[in-house]
């Protein structure tokens, strides 16, 4: 392989392979902004202000019939146009996801292409909803054809190349060596990106409480914050966030948990059920305060968004109340990358087709460190819980097929009739990051008939998860710049921030965290539509126009 040459596009390409212009991959390009010409949107140097009518219906059952009343409530959204200079601090920086994300950004930032058995590969952000998917913004009046733009064009968003990278890990292996340990990326890419990874250096020491993760992780724990004083650990994390922010002159830091899955924390009255009790429990170094909860609390107290990319119950009631008190954003739980994403589509397809799934059996095996940690029963239980709730809202939406819960039912019976849903995860070291997932959907069809559909899915686990971390982090930063006000009472109230739980992140998450007392939406299409509709609302556009009325009339 010859020496690398930088061409006019900024891509690093071996001289022997240069055939002329090598473009930046479309998913890594800087998107062109769009401008909406409407009385419902106004642009200034600082803000985009849009008027939006939240339309819906109120349905009441009385006298043996449903009475439906359309309703419309006016809001204004104010979006700050200047994108924050943003740092991404990952907990688990030296793991498979952390190293893959850093290497991907560095390869795109420095224009590093590499040899594979299929030829020269460009760096890209394929798999990112924001970078690699599009939305319709209308039709071209001259042609009648729909016009599509990248989602990242709708509002000003952080470009992944601009993220400042850092974080914590219980393993002190330098980032270039940690990437090598992960065995996710092609060797030629690793070779070229290694010097840039080395510049990130060694992750910051992290918190290690052996009771919360599998015992097989102990060998990695050589880079930990000393002692057992959880209040001191909290102050240490807060100081780390402040120092990182100051060192890089950042406007915003997003803290992201992509470390090992923890066991579930017990919810104990007087310990973690309220904000004040949780803060007192931290001071007392209570055994049920987990590392991820400490990271969440540190982020909240520093006023920075925290996203939980693992399935444990980081957000105990005390964390949610603390986030509300400080108006600091939180989101989670658990990255929805492969099997669960497919399940949320397939179960919806069956139920919406009037077919009744009787059982869904899911089997997984993988060989990365995530699989190693999940081979312990308490950690697997966390994952099982997050994966098993994914069909609940589809079932609740169709009580023609599934009997509703009996009045006053508790526990499992409170769900009413429900498909049998089994999840199995096994650790198989030989397959490494290449995860295998097998699903069987066993359903009732017409007149007592039965249908069985089997799906085999093989995927590179970290290469699917990494774009989701980018999307979640970029959206978290964006939502800190969006404010709203309710115009329904006619008064011009002050703009205020969104509710602290970022349920708009649900598309990328297995067990979406939502505002207490509201229903969880797991349907992938509804999650995607909600995100698209919200982004469009911020520029004064209506949601998707799938009615296409002009194609159905003379």
């Amino acid at each position: 392989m010859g020496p690398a040459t930088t061409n006019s596009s900024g891509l690093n390409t071996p001289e022997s392979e240069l055939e002329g212009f090598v473009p930046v991959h479309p998913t890594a390009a800087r998107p062109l902004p769009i401008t909406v010409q409407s009385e419902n949107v106004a642009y200034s140097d600082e803000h985009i202000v849009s008027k939006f009518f939240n339309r819906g219906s109120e349905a009441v059952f009385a006298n043996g019939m449903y009475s439906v009343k359309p309703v419309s409530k006016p809001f204004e959204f104010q979006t700050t146009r200047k994108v924050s200079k943003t740092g991404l601090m990952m907990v688990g920086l030296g793991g498979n996801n952390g190293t893959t994300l850093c290497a991907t950004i560095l390869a795109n930032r420095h224009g590093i292409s590499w040899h594979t058995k299929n030829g020269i590969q460009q760096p890209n952000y394929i798999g990112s909803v924001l970078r690699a998917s599009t939305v319709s913004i209308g039709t071209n009046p001259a042609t009648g054809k729909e016009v599509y733009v990248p989602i990242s064009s709708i509002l000003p968003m952080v470009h992944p190349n601009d993220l400042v990278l850092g974080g914590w890990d219980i393993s002190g292996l330098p980032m270039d060596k940690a990437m090598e340990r992960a065995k996710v990326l092609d060797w030629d890419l690793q070779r070229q990106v290694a010097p840039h990874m080395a510049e990130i250096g060694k992750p910051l020491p992290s918190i290690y409480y052996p009771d919360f993760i599998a015992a097989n992780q102990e060998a990695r724990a050589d880079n930990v914050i000393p002692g057992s004083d959880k209040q001191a650990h909290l102050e240490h994390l807060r100081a780390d966030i402040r120092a990182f922010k100051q060192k890089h002159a950042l406007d915003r830091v997003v803290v992201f948990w992509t470390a090992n899955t923890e066991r579930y924390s017990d919810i104990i009255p007087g310990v973690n059920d309220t904000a004040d009790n949780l803060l007192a429990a931290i001071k007392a170094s209570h055994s049920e305060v987990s590392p991820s909860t400490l990271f969440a609390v540190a982020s909240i107290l520093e006023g920075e968004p925290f996203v939980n990319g693992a399935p444990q119950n980081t957000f105990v009631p005390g964390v949610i109340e603390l986030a509300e008190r400080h108006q600091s954003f939180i989101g989670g739980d658990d990255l929805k990358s492969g099997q669960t994403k497919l399940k949320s589509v397939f179960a919806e397809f069956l139920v919406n087709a009037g077919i009744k799934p009787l059982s869904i059996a899911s089997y997984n095996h993988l060989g990365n460190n995530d699989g190693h940690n999940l081979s312990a029963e308490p950690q697997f239980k966390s994952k099982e819980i997050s994966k098993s709730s994914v069909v609940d809202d589809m079932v609740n939406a169709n009580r023609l097929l599934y009997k509703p819960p009996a009045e006053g039912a508790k526990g499992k019976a409170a769900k009413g009739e429900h498909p049998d849903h089994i999840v199995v995860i096994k650790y198989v070291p030989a397959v490494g990051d290449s995860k295998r997932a097998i699903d069987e959907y066993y359903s009732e069809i017409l007149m007592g008939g039965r249908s069985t559909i089997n799906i085999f899915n093989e995927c590179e686990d970290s290469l699917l998860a990494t774009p989701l971390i980018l999307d979640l982090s970029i959206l978290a930063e964006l939502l800190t710049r969006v404010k709203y006000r309710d115009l329904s009472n006619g008064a011009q109230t002050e703009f205020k921030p969104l509710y602290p739980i970022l349920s708009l992140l649900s598309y990328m998450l297995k067990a979406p965290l939502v505002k207490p007392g509201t229903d969880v939406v797991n349907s992938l299409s509804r999650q995607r539509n909600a995100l698209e509709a919200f982004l469009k609302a911020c520029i004064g556009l209506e949601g998707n126009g799938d009615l296409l009325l002009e194609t159905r009339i003379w």
Side-chain angles (χ1 to χ4, degrees):
M1 180 175 174
T5 299
T6 303
N7 64 24
S8 57
S9 73
L11 284 178
N12 238 0
T13 308
E15 284 182 347
S16 59
E17 299 294 333
L18 279 176
E19 298 288 340
F21 183 74
V22 181
V24 172
H25 194 275
T27 61
R30 304 274 172 177
L32 297 174
I34 63 175
T35 302
V36 176
Q37 298 177 7
S38 167
E39 62 183 11
N40 290 329
V41 63
Y43 295 86
S44 69
D45 291 341
E46 293 80 23
H47 299 114
I48 303 170
V49 178
S50 65
K51 191 172 184 179
F52 172 73
F53 293 90
N54 190 36
R55 307 183 196 278
S57 301
E58 295 175 349
V60 178
F61 185 78
N63 301 319
M65 64 181 291
Y66 282 104
S67 174
V68 183
K69 177 184 176 183
V71 293
S72 177
K73 193 172 183 179
F75 289 87
E76 271 189 344
F77 291 108
Q78 180 193 75
T79 306
T80 300
R81 300 183 74 176
K82 183 182 177 184
V83 175
S84 309
K85 184 179 179 183
T86 303
L88 174 57
M89 296 189 77
M90 288 177 281
V91 191
L93 180 65
N96 285 29
N97 289 345
T99 55
T100 302
L101 183 142
C102 290
T104 296
I105 289 176
L106 291 169
N108 278 282
R109 183 185 296 168
H110 295 284
I112 298 172
S113 59
W114 65 98
H115 279 278
T116 73
K117 62 184 179 183
N118 296 315
I120 297 296
Q121 175 65 53
Q122 284 177 277
N124 59 67
Y125 289 114
I126 291 175
S128 161
V129 177
L130 301 181
R131 305 297 314 172
S133 72
T134 62
V135 294
S136 171
I137 55 171
T139 57
N140 185 321
T143 64
K145 300 292 186 182
E146 286 195 81
V147 176
Y148 292 88
V149 299
I151 289 186
S152 55
S153 292
I154 297 179
L155 287 170
M157 299 185 193
V158 176
H159 192 290
N161 289 8
D162 298 335
L163 288 168
V164 180
L165 304 168
W168 304 263
D169 203 290
I170 62 172
S171 168
L173 205 61
M175 288 296 287
D176 54 334
K177 299 300 180 184
M179 173 182 64
E180 184 179 330
R181 174 181 62 189
K183 299 179 182 177
V184 173
L185 300 168
D186 287 336
W187 176 85
D188 191 38
L189 172 58
Q190 289 192 44
R191 180 186 64 79
Q192 295 184 72
V193 82
H196 303 290
M197 292 287 282
E199 290 177 5
I200 298 176
K202 176 181 171 180
L204 295 168
S206 192
I207 299 174
Y208 176 58
Y209 302 153
D211 180 45
F212 279 91
I213 61 174
N216 57 40
Q217 299 300 300
E218 185 177 1
R220 286 195 177 209
D222 59 5
N223 188 45
V224 301
I225 301 171
S228 57
D229 185 335
K230 295 188 176 182
Q231 181 65 39
H233 290 172
L234 174 62
E235 297 304 328
H236 188 115
L237 297 179
R238 294 185 66 181
D240 283 345
I241 295 170
R242 288 194 299 270
F244 186 75
K245 192 173 182 179
Q246 183 177 14
K247 176 182 178 181
H248 298 286
L250 302 173
D251 305 309
R252 174 68 62 202
V253 173
V254 177
V255 179
F256 200 108
W257 180 278
T258 183
N260 281 316
T261 295
E262 299 172 334
R263 67 165 175 82
Y264 256 47
S265 298
D266 292 332
I267 307 300
I268 304 173
V271 173
N272 48 20
D273 55 338
T274 71
D276 290 334
N277 288 342
L278 177 60
L279 293 174
I282 292 171
K283 286 184 179 179
S285 297
H286 194 282
S287 60
E288 283 306 301
V289 177
S290 69
S292 64
T293 292
L294 275 183
F295 275 98
V297 170
S299 304
I300 291 167
L301 295 179
E302 290 301 314
E304 304 295 352
F306 177 87
V307 182
N308 176 34
Q312 69 272 348
N313 61 338
T314 298
F315 301 118
V316 294
V319 172
I320 293 174
E321 184 179 312
L322 192 69
E324 291 174 334
R325 179 184 297 175
H326 290 269
Q327 296 188 7
S328 191
F329 290 157
I330 56 175
D333 297 305
D334 203 6
L335 300 176
K336 180 165 60 183
S337 57
Q339 184 184 52
T340 308
K341 182 172 286 185
L342 178 62
K343 191 179 297 182
S344 68
V345 173
F346 207 79
E348 182 182 28
F349 146 66
L350 291 171
V351 173
N352 284 352
I355 294 171
K356 181 180 181 179
L358 300 173
S359 68
I360 302 172
S362 298
Y363 169 87
N364 307 257
H365 68 263
L366 71 163
N368 59 20
N369 193 55
D370 183 41
H372 197 201
N373 180 61
L374 291 174
S375 64
E377 180 61 25
Q379 285 67 41
F380 164 71
K381 201 68 183 174
S382 294
K383 178 68 77 171
E384 182 183 36
I385 291 169
S386 78
K387 289 171 79 75
S388 63
S389 62
V390 71
V391 299
D392 288 355
D393 59 324
M394 285 73 124
V395 170
N396 290 332
N398 193 332
R399 291 304 179 184
L400 296 171
L401 296 177
Y402 297 98
K403 295 176 184 176
E407 189 174 344
K410 296 181 179 179
K412 287 187 176 181
K415 285 188 175 183
E417 189 183 8
H418 202 273
D420 295 335
H421 193 176
I422 304 299
V423 178
V424 177
I425 301 175
K426 294 296 182 183
Y427 177 52
V428 181
V431 302
D433 207 58
S434 183
K435 177 181 177 181
R436 274 74 164 161
I438 304 168
D439 290 281
E440 180 187 272
Y441 297 83
Y442 181 59
S443 303
E444 179 180 350
I445 55 175
L446 185 71
M447 303 300 286
R450 295 293 185 266
S451 166
T452 301
I453 299 175
N454 290 298
I455 299 174
F456 179 84
N457 173 25
E458 180 180 344
C459 61
E460 297 288 338
D461 208 29
S462 298
L463 297 180
L464 286 177
T466 292
L468 303 185
I469 297 174
L470 286 174
D471 287 341
L472 289 162
S473 302
I474 291 167
L475 282 173
E477 185 282 328
L478 169 63
L479 295 175
T480 66
R481 292 185 283 115
V482 178
K483 294 184 177 181
Y484 78 98
R485 62 183 175 189
D486 184 348
L487 302 179
S488 57
N489 59 10
Q492 291 291 314
T493 57
E494 292 294 317
F495 284 102
K496 58 184 179 180
L498 301 172
Y499 181 72
I501 292 178
L502 300 179
S503 54
L504 280 166
L505 306 182
S506 295
Y507 183 84
M508 298 92 180
L509 298 162
K510 284 190 181 78
L513 188 69
V514 299
K515 187 177 183 179
T518 59
D519 292 332
V520 176
V521 174
N522 283 300
S523 159
L524 200 70
S525 62
R526 290 185 64 197
Q527 291 171 339
R528 164 67 189 241
N529 287 343
L531 177 60
E532 179 181 326
F534 180 84
L535 295 176
K536 286 184 174 181
C538 290
I539 56 171
L541 292 180
E542 294 286 338
N544 76 58
D546 290 339
L547 174 59
L548 299 176
L549 182 61
E550 64 276 10
T551 70
R552 310 182 195 284
I553 58 177
W554 289 99

